[in-house]
Amino acid sequence: VLAQHRGDADGALADYIPELASVDPDRFGAALVSVHGRLYTAGDASTPFTIQSISKPFVYALALAEHGLEGVARHVGFEPSGEPFNAISLDPESGRPENPMINAGAIVTSALVSGSGPDERFERIRAFLSVCAGRELDVDEDVWHSESVTGHRNRALANLALAAGVMTRSVDDACEVYFRQCAIRVTATDLAIMAGTLADGGVNPCTGVAVLDEEITRHVLSIMLSCGMYDESGEWAVRVGLPAKSGVGGGIAAVRPGQFGIGIYSPRLDEKGNSVRGVAALRSLAADYDIHLLSQPRVPRSPIVHSSVEGDRWTVVLRGEIDFISAEEIIAHIVGHHDDPDRRDAELWLDTAGVTRVWPEALRALTAVVARLRESGRTVAITDPSGTFGRDR
Ligand code: GLU
């Protein structure tokens, strides 16, 4: 994929933060981490660059972990703004920034992170992003200072949020931490691992460290899907269909929940602020490999490996992950054959040794059906050596 797009020199380096214009424009690298923790890299996957806006979903996650969804929602909303990243965009009624992926929302979110002063708050952010990346990340001091002396528009946004009553710190304090968080240095490999952490339900797939709980991970991914690619988020959802976040440093992190995380770096940006070759590469991947989140699963998997009657025992052997649709199939099978002449008087044995996970909604439905069968007089035994079926997931 990189070879296919390497020759594309369209776009321009971001220069509104002067120091960003000093990077090598030709660098192009990508990395993918599977949820099994295996890393694949190509091109300049270990070239450092500043994370910029890709810090936003992770700092949002940190704020959610500290304050909960409702606590954060009092300060920043969930709606795609459809406007550029630096838009003066506050909800006219609540005064909240529309979402945490635009600058106004990200500055307010960053200010929600606890700590007694800017240094302590920044350190919490840096440490958190480092655990997501699986290594200690540092800051590009030049980029930080460059944005600090030129970031008047972001200060204006912070002032508006302060005036609207949704900002919890002084403007200078909030902006310094935000500028510094944007100047954290990463590589495409780091971004892949950070995205992989979101793909694996909040567990860093390379270190095994549980960083976030699954629910927070889901909140963050939802916002990334609707708002992560600036005012191109709608088209991105159609063409690529992965929760993603880009930054004006040239990085993109994309997540295929349950499967992999991708990090891409190429610093020339389109007019929306997204990496030109990064977007092109992810579009190619999506077109060639059908990685869209909403793609129809093609292979109908039956959770029932085997169902037979021997003597007075009816054995149903189950396997794999039992989600809603698998539970529906199991229930239809059992209930549908409940009155077959050869099964009517048999004991039902559900063998779940091959089941890897049962989703809560599936467990509820199956438990209710088993209870009803028992009430109707049938003996139902569940062999559950690993306890998978007994737990609520
Ligand atoms: N530090 C940058 C800014 O606030 C981040 C913008 C971005 O990456 O979209 O302007």
Side-chain angles (χ1 to χ4, degrees), residues 16-17 20 50-56 85-86 101-104 106-107 143 147 151 153-154 157 178-183 230 245-251 269 272-274:
Y16 75 98
I17 300 172
L20 286 183
T50 56
I51 190 167
Q52 298 300 336
S53 277
I54 308 166
S55 60
K56 293 172 180 174
F85 68 98
N86 58 3
M101 302 294 122
I102 53 172
N103 286 1
I107 297 168
V143 174
E147 184 162 17
R153 190 178 176 93
N154 281 328
L157 292 171
Y178 169 75
F179 295 150
R180 208 167 162 192
Q181 117 193 6
C182 288
Y230 307 122
K245 186 72 202 86
S246 62
V248 294
L269 309 179
K272 312 246 173 172
N274 294 319

Side-chain angles (χ1 to χ4, degrees), residues 3 24 77 103 108 128 164 188 211 281 352 384-385 387 391:
D24 176 353
N103 286 1
V108 167
F128 178 73
V211 183
T352 67
D384 185 21
R391 284 187 274 122

Side-chain angles (χ1 to χ4, degrees), residues 22 353 357:
S22 67
R357 178 177 183 181

